[in-house]
Amino acid sequence: MIVVTGATGALNGATVEHLLTRVPAERIGVSVRDVERARHFADRGVRVRQGSYEDPAALRHSFEGAEQVLLVSSNDPHADAVALHRAGIEAAVAAGARRILYTSHQGAGADSPFPPARDHAATERLLAASGVAWTALRNGFYAHSLAWLLGPWQRTGTITAPADGPVSWTDRADAAEAAAALLAGDRTVDGPVTLTARQALTFDDVAALASKASGRTVTRVTTGDEAWIAARTAAGTPEAMARMTLTTFQAAREGRFAAVDPLLGALLGREPRTVADQFADAGTV
C-alpha cells in the first residue's frame, strides 16, 4: 500500500489524484487531519484514516500496512517543523514502511539563509539515519509564488523587488504528478532528487515574459532590502512575513535555486510547464 499524508492539501491531494490513474484505489491510503475533507477519496475506494504529526499513535495507525509513505513537509511557520517530520519518519518506520518519500525543496542546506531550507536539510539527515530507504523530493520553487512576489505589475508596469538570482520556477502540479510517478512506477531513486523546470529565471527574465504576455513594457526595478520590507509592511504585510520572504531573495542571490535537472521531465514524459506557459494561460501567474 502507498500512504500519502497531507492529502487534503494542494500538492499531495494532486498526487493522490494521479495515483488513482496509475494504481487501484485499494492500494492507496491517505493520512489526514480531517477525514471528512477526504471523503471524495473514500468514496472512490481510497483508505482514509485520521493522522497528524502531532499524534504519533494515530499516525502509526494511519500508516498501517504501508510499503511506501509520502510525508508532506509542514507549512506552519510557527511549528517546530523538524520535530513534526521526525514524528512522521518514526511512525513510518514503526509501521514497517520500506520506503519513505518526503516533499523537500530545492536548495535544502544547513547554511541557507532561507529557514525552510535548513528544516529540509535537517529532515533529510533524519531520513538518512532512519534505516529505511528514502527519497527526498527537492521540488523547485513553486511558480504560483510569483503571484505574490511580483507585486501589482499589471497595474504599475513594474516589478519592484530586491536583488535576486536565477530560480527554476516549477509548476506545483508537475511536482505532484512526478511524485505519483515515483510512487507507482518501477523506478526507484535513493536520497535527494531535484525536480525542476528546465530553466532558471531572474526577475529580469520574468519581466521580459510579462511584457510579452501582456503586450506592454514591464520594467524590473531593483530596490534595497529594507526599502522593500518597508513597502511591504506599509501595504499590510506583517513584518515577520516580509522578512521571511526576503530570505528567498537572499538565497536566490547565492544561487540556491539556480540548478535545473531533467528528471522532472523524464518522470512526466513531457516538458515541464514554464513561467511562460502560465503567462500564456492566464496573462498572469
Side-chain angles (χ1 to χ4, degrees), residues 1-7 10-19 28-32 53 59 62-63 66-73 85 88-89 92 97-104 127 133-139 142 175-184 195:
M1 174 171 279
I2 299 166
V3 175
V4 178
T5 67
L11 177 64
N12 279 7
T15 294
V16 175
E17 292 289 351
H18 285 292
L19 281 174
I28 306 170
V30 298
S31 175
V32 295
Y53 294 151
L59 200 61
S62 70
F63 290 171
E67 296 177 354
Q68 299 183 88
V69 173
L70 174 59
L71 299 176
V72 69
S73 56
H85 300 158
I89 293 167
R98 295 188 301 195
R99 177 174 294 275
I100 303 171
L101 293 85
Y102 166 71
T103 59
S104 187
L127 287 164
W134 62 281
T135 306
L137 308 173
R138 289 186 173 179
N139 297 335
Y142 297 140
E177 184 176 347
L182 282 172
L183 286 163
L195 300 173

Side-chain angles (χ1 to χ4, degrees), residues 40-282:
H40 61 295
F41 289 136
D43 290 344
R44 293 151 73 188
V46 173
R47 189 185 80 182
V48 175
R49 290 185 178 178
Q50 194 279 330
S52 72
Y53 294 151
E54 293 89 350
D55 187 345
L59 200 61
R60 286 193 298 273
H61 177 66
S62 70
F63 290 171
E64 183 181 12
E67 296 177 354
Q68 299 183 88
V69 173
L70 174 59
L71 299 176
V72 69
S73 56
S74 172
N75 63 358
D76 183 348
H78 306 295
D80 183 342
V82 179
L84 296 177
H85 300 158
R86 180 185 291 109
I89 293 167
E90 290 176 349
V93 172
R98 295 188 301 195
R99 177 174 294 275
I100 303 171
L101 293 85
Y102 166 71
T103 59
S104 187
H105 194 284
Q106 181 185 22
D111 60 345
S112 175
F114 183 51
R118 301 196 292 270
D119 291 342
H120 289 306
T123 301
E124 290 181 6
R125 291 194 295 272
L126 293 174
L127 287 164
S130 70
V132 174
W134 62 281
T135 306
L137 308 173
R138 289 186 173 179
N139 297 335
F141 222 108
Y142 297 140
H144 67 267
S145 304
L146 283 167
W148 190 75
L149 292 172
L150 295 181
W153 65 268
Q154 298 100 323
R155 175 172 57 82
T156 65
T158 61
I159 294 173
T160 302
D164 67 324
V167 177
S168 56
W169 298 107
T170 302
D171 191 331
R172 180 173 60 190
D174 282 350
E177 184 176 347
L182 282 172
L183 286 163
D186 297 327
R187 181 174 186 170
T188 57
V189 184
D190 294 314
V193 297
T194 301
L195 300 173
T196 67
R198 294 284 193 180
Q199 289 183 304
L201 306 177
T202 65
F203 271 21
D204 284 339
D205 300 322
V206 173
L209 292 173
S211 297
K212 184 176 181 180
S214 64
R216 59 182 292 202
T217 299
V218 178
T219 304
R220 161 66 158 117
V221 176
T222 302
T223 187
D225 290 356
E226 291 304 317
W228 185 81
I229 293 288
R232 285 286 176 168
T233 55
T237 301
E239 183 176 352
M241 182 181 295
R243 291 198 177 277
M244 167 64 83
T245 305
L246 178 63
T247 67
T248 66
F249 292 96
Q250 294 168 335
R253 291 172 206 163
E254 296 181 3
R256 304 273 180 169
F257 311 128
V260 296
D261 194 286
L263 179 59
L264 178 58
L267 291 171
L268 297 174
R270 57 174 171 79
E271 284 297 304
R273 282 174 51 80
T274 66
V275 173
D277 290 331
Q278 295 191 58
F279 275 125
D281 284 350

